[in-house]
């Protein structure tokens, strides 16, 4: 008799064999808040310039939410679009993964708010906190449930509201100009893969972490690591509630780790760089992605970028990129697509998909 653990409507079968089931993306959607904030707009509130930002990062504008809009509000819009494109309703889902580092609240995770806003109850809603690599981590975790036959349809979302957590004075200019708000989502479905060369599916994910660099890109507070309170006036006076970054360290590691992760994915699956039809990298800095493409020997026309319009939307970046690539006609059925991300932690990883 197979022992089972029941969580909501999900039954995890203990000792279930790894099957030939694989994840296929059957739905895709994104949502960007309508308010456009240009580099010139930022230059009105801090000492920066369009020239500096474009030259160093390639970013021209980003989106910021207005009013009470939260991360789960963006997530639910992207999720509805992904479900619509799959021809599904929320009730068809077995699980939800939401990757974010800008949650609605300290706890519970924003996945529970997303679940409620989708009109659901009962199914597991899991938050993933892996920064800019969050979507690839969430994709990988969802894929494990599908491969073991534990779930058939999973919503995987990346969503961020950064604009409310940035230091908008000149003190924060090195980071504030880099980030934007947005959300993207995919719906995964379990399928039997008969022809791995042709069938649309997620081939593999590779995930990495090096916590020695945790403080090279982080938000120090609110925190259980200091004194007695998770937040106090001294922390606020120091600006510990804002992101801090060692930009050079991030740059140096990102241009090394993303190509490594792509190369491992290709080797694992028996493909060469030339076999890849489209690269969708995390969007932190256009110069990083140019360097990554150069190291890989990937031609510019195979690299899809959104950074110019949306800046760095952290966990939302990859699904937004996929959605924009489909809308632009750059990502079509049958293509081999390589995803790679790098972010705080440091964390990094890759995913290879037959679209
Ligand atoms: N506008 C104008 N000047 C700025 C600025 C801004 N927004 N931000 C920083 N500067 C200034 C600095 O104060 C510094 O001035 P100084 O020389 O008088 O001290 C000067 O520009 C150069 O700063 P520096 O940090 O050396 O620039 P850089 O060439 O390393 O580029 C980044 C900075 C942030 C663009 C670059 O380090 C980077 O992209 N790193 C990766 C960041 C990233 O990807 N983060 C997210 C990862 S997921």
């Amino acid at each position: 008799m197979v022992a089972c653990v029941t969580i909501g409507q999900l039954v995890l079968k203990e000792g279930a064999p790894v099957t030939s089931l694989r994840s296929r993306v059957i739905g895709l959607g994104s949502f960007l808040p309508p308010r456009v904030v240009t580099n010139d707009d930022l230059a009105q509130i801090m000492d920066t310039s369009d020239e500096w930002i474009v030259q160093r990062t390639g970013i021209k504008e980003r989106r910021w939410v207005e009013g009470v809009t939260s991360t789960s509000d963006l997530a639910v819009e992207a999720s509805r679009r992904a479900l619509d494109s799959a021809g599904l309703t929320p009730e068809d889902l077995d699980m939800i993964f939401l990757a974010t580092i800008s949650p609605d609240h300290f706890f519970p995770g924003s996945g529970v708010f997303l679940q409620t806003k989708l009109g659901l109850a009962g199914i597991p809603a899991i938050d993933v906190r892996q920064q800019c690599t969050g979507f690839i981590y969430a994709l990988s975790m969802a894929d494990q449930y599908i491969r073991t036959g534990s779930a058939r349809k999973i919503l995987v979302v990346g969503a961020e509201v950064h604009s409310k957590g940035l230091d908008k004075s000149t003190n924060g200019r090195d980071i504030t100009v880099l980030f934007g708000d947005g959300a993207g989502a995919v719906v995964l479905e379990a399928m039997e893969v008969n022809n791995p060369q042709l069938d649309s599916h997620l081939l593999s994910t590779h995930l990495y972490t090096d916590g020695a660099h945790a403080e090279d890109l982080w938000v120090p507070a609110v925190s259980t690591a200091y004194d007695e309170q998770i937040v106090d006036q001294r922390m606020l006076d120091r600006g510990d509630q804002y992101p801090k970054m060692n930009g050079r360290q991030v740059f140096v590691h990102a241009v090394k780790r993303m190509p490594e992760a792509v190369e491992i994915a290709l080797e694992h699956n028996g493909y060469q760089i030339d076999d890849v039809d489209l690269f969708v990298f995390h969007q932190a800095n256009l110069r990083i992605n140019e360097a990554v493409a150069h190291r890989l020997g990937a031609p510019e026309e195979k690299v899809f970028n959104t950074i110019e319009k949306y800046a760095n939307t952290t966990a939302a970046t990859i699904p937004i990129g996929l959605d924009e690539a489909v809308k632009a006609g750059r990502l079509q059925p049958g293509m081999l697509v390589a995803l790679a991300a790098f972010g705080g932690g440091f964390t990094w990883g890759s995913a290879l998909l037959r679209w």
Side-chain angles (χ1 to χ4, degrees):
M1 198 180 117
V2 179
C4 295
V5 182
T6 306
I7 308 169
Q9 295 161 21
L10 174 70
V11 180
L12 302 174
K13 297 181 193 72
E14 281 180 13
V18 174
T19 64
S20 58
L21 287 170
R22 293 291 179 269
S23 305
R24 182 167 63 120
V25 175
I26 59 162
L28 179 63
S30 62
F31 180 76
L32 280 305
R35 180 184 172 200
V36 175
V37 177
T38 65
N39 293 342
D40 286 334
D41 292 333
L42 293 181
Q44 304 285 318
I45 56 173
M46 64 180 73
D47 183 11
T48 190
S49 66
D50 179 56
E51 190 190 2
W52 192 97
I53 301 170
V54 171
Q55 196 182 65
R56 307 283 174 125
T57 72
I59 298 165
K60 292 189 176 156
E61 57 189 46
R62 74 285 294 141
R63 303 296 180 92
W64 283 4
V65 296
E66 291 173 280
V68 294
T69 306
S70 70
T71 297
S72 65
D73 289 329
L74 301 189
V76 76
E77 292 300 330
S79 300
R80 286 195 185 115
R81 290 174 186 197
L83 285 162
D84 283 350
S85 83
L88 298 178
T89 65
E91 289 70 27
D92 295 315
L93 295 171
D94 297 322
M95 293 181 85
I96 297 171
F97 284 89
L98 173 59
T100 185
I101 56 162
S102 49
D104 291 20
H105 300 281
F106 191 54
F107 81 84
S110 299
V112 308
F113 296 101
L114 169 61
Q115 186 208 49
T116 304
K117 286 174 185 174
L118 284 169
L120 293 173
I123 63 166
I126 300 170
D127 273 40
V128 176
R129 295 209 26 178
Q130 299 304 121
Q131 299 67 246
C132 298
T133 324
F135 183 78
I136 290 182
Y137 268 75
L139 197 64
S140 179
M141 292 160 76
D143 187 43
Q144 310 313 312
Y145 281 91
I146 282 181
R147 284 177 183 239
T148 54
S150 302
R152 291 204 67 81
K153 291 188 179 66
I154 305 182
L155 177 67
V156 184
V157 190
E160 306 286 359
V161 171
H162 285 308
S163 57
K164 295 185 185 186
L166 298 170
D167 180 353
K168 299 186 182 97
S169 73
T170 297
N171 284 340
R173 66 180 178 176
D174 60 328
I175 293 179
T176 297
V177 302
L178 302 178
F179 288 97
D181 303 339
V186 299
V187 180
L188 299 180
E189 183 182 48
M191 64 160 295
E192 291 283 348
V193 171
N194 298 314
N195 187 338
Q197 302 289 324
L198 295 178
D199 291 348
S200 162
H201 71 292
L202 173 58
L203 280 74
S204 66
T205 53
H206 287 83
L207 308 179
Y208 304 94
T209 300
D210 182 357
H213 292 282
E215 295 180 13
D216 283 330
L217 181 53
W218 69 324
V219 178
V222 298
S223 168
T224 58
Y226 304 125
D227 297 339
E228 290 180 359
Q229 296 295 319
I230 58 168
V231 62
D232 65 22
Q233 194 55 48
R234 282 171 305 162
M235 294 179 204
L236 297 176
D237 291 344
R238 286 197 302 262
D240 283 358
Q241 70 276 30
Y242 297 126
K244 312 277 177 255
M245 179 178 71
N246 183 338
R248 292 252 165 92
Q249 278 285 76
V250 174
F251 198 105
V252 166
H253 285 263
V255 299
K256 181 170 182 287
R257 296 308 197 179
M258 282 201 281
E260 277 175 10
V262 170
E263 280 164 356
I264 288 165
L266 293 175
E267 192 186 326
H268 179 82
N269 292 288
Y271 285 110
Q272 308 289 324
I273 203 79
D274 292 345
D275 296 321
V276 179
D277 298 298
L278 195 72
F279 297 89
V280 181
F281 301 133
H282 177 59
Q283 305 284 302
N285 181 326
L286 191 60
R287 309 293 161 243
I288 290 178
N289 288 357
E290 286 168 351
V292 170
H294 180 73
R295 282 196 186 199
L296 284 170
E300 205 181 302
E301 63 275 12
K302 286 189 176 180
V303 179
F304 190 77
N305 289 311
T306 55
I307 189 152
E308 193 179 70
K309 296 190 290 186
Y310 304 140
N312 182 352
T313 55
T314 308
T317 303
I318 297 253
I320 290 173
L322 290 171
D323 195 33
E324 296 265 321
V326 168
K327 286 175 182 158
R330 296 274 305 275
L331 180 51
Q332 287 166 4
M335 283 185 162
L336 188 66
V337 54
L339 314 179
F342 179 91
F346 291 149
T347 58
W348 64 100
S350 62
L352 198 63
L353 297 103
R354 178 68 64 187
W355 196 251

